[in-house]
Amino acid sequence: QNIDGISCSFSEPDLFMFYTSDSFFEVRSLKDSLATRILSMEPSCICSTSADSFIIGFKTGFISEFDYNLNLNTTFTFPGRSKAHNGEIIQVTSSNICYMISIGTDKSMNFWNMKGLHISTMTTTGQFTSVCSSSLFIWVADTNQRMYVIDSSNSSGKEPFKTSSSFNIPDIIVAMAPFGEGKGCIASLKSGSVIIVSTRGVLSHL
C-alpha cells in the first residue's frame, strides 16, 4: 500500500500517523504499531497538534481530531452545518494562535479553537492552495498567485483575523513552511522552483 499522508507528533518525534488511499490509518513509533483503524471517509490531509493529537481532513468536507489511540476527540463544524467546509479539505495545520487552520475547495480558510468551534473565515475569489503559521504570522496563497499575510502577533485568537499585507507571487504555491524566527516562509511552487518570502514580498526565487 502507498502512503498518501503522514505527520509526526509534536511532543514525541519518534511517533507518527500515516494513512493510505483506502482510509487505513496507523499510529506507530519507529519500532512498534500503537493503533490502527479504517475510517468510513476518504482522507485528504493530516497534521499533528500541541495537544498530543492528530487532525484529519476528509474529501467530504469533514475535519476530525483523534488521540494517539485513534479515538475520536472532536469534530470541527461550521455554524449551521454538520461539517467544516462545503468541499474537500485541502490542508489542515496547527497554529499557536487559534489551534487549527483549514483551507478547502470552497474558497475559504477557517480558523478554529481546540473545542472544534469556528472562530472566523477568510475567503478568496480563486482557491487557497497552501497555508502556514508561525507564532507571529500566517501566510496563505491562492490560485490568483497572491500571497496574503496575517499579523497574528497581537491577536488573542478569539476574534476575526485580518490581512495585514498581500503581494504577487510568481506561480501557484503547493506547499510552504515558516522558518527562522517566524518572520518568513519558504514555499514550493507548482513549476518546481522555490521562493523565500517575508511579510512584504518575495525575497528570493530559487
Side-chain angles (χ1 to χ4, degrees):
Q1 293 179 333
N2 293 325
I3 294 175
D4 279 12
I6 189 168
S7 182
C8 294
S9 164
F10 260 71
S11 59
E12 301 179 50
D14 65 339
L15 188 147
F16 58 94
M17 175 192 277
F18 73 87
Y19 65 82
T20 63
S21 59
D22 56 359
S23 303
F24 172 81
F25 289 81
E26 182 172 2
V27 178
R28 61 176 302 120
S29 66
L30 295 177
K31 296 181 179 179
D32 300 303
S33 175
L34 305 180
T36 60
R37 185 171 177 178
I38 296 176
L39 299 179
S40 60
M41 294 181 290
E42 187 175 354
S44 55
C45 53
I46 186 175
C47 75
S48 59
T49 77
S50 57
D52 292 337
S53 63
F54 292 99
I55 295 175
I56 302 168
F58 296 92
K59 293 185 177 182
T60 54
F62 285 86
I63 299 175
S64 296
E65 182 178 17
F66 294 83
D67 65 18
Y68 289 168
N69 293 315
L70 284 173
N71 297 310
L72 179 65
N73 285 345
T74 305
T75 295
F76 297 80
T77 55
F78 194 89
R81 299 201 300 250
S82 62
K83 54 187 179 180
H85 286 266
N86 281 325
E88 181 177 340
I89 309 301
I90 297 172
Q91 184 184 349
V92 288
T93 186
S94 59
S95 171
N96 293 330
I97 304 302
C98 65
Y99 192 62
M100 195 270 285
I101 303 169
S102 63
I103 56 177
T105 56
D106 56 359
K107 302 181 180 181
S108 68
M109 176 170 67
N110 290 334
F111 299 85
W112 308 90
N113 67 21
M114 69 185 307
K115 294 181 179 180
L117 300 177
H118 174 262
I119 299 172
S120 66
T121 294
M122 176 178 170
T123 59
T124 177
T125 58
Q127 180 175 294
F128 291 121
T129 61
S130 185
V131 60
C132 71
S133 173
S134 73
S135 59
L136 300 175
F137 298 95
I138 297 166
W139 291 264
V140 61
D142 68 10
T143 52
N144 295 326
Q145 295 182 210
R146 293 286 292 177
M147 177 77 83
Y148 303 90
V149 182
I150 299 169
D151 185 349
S152 57
S153 58
N154 297 318
S155 173
S156 66
K158 297 180 180 180
E159 71 278 354
F161 294 87
K162 297 180 180 179
T163 302
S164 58
S165 65
S166 65
F167 49 88
N168 291 327
I169 47 179
D171 195 4
I172 293 173
I173 290 177
V174 295
M176 57 182 170
F179 70 93
E181 298 178 348
K183 297 181 180 180
C185 74
I186 184 167
S188 174
L189 304 181
K190 188 176 181 180
S191 62
S193 58
V194 172
I195 57 173
I196 297 174
V197 302
S198 67
T199 59
R200 295 293 176 183
V202 177
L203 299 178
S204 180
H205 190 173
L206 308 175

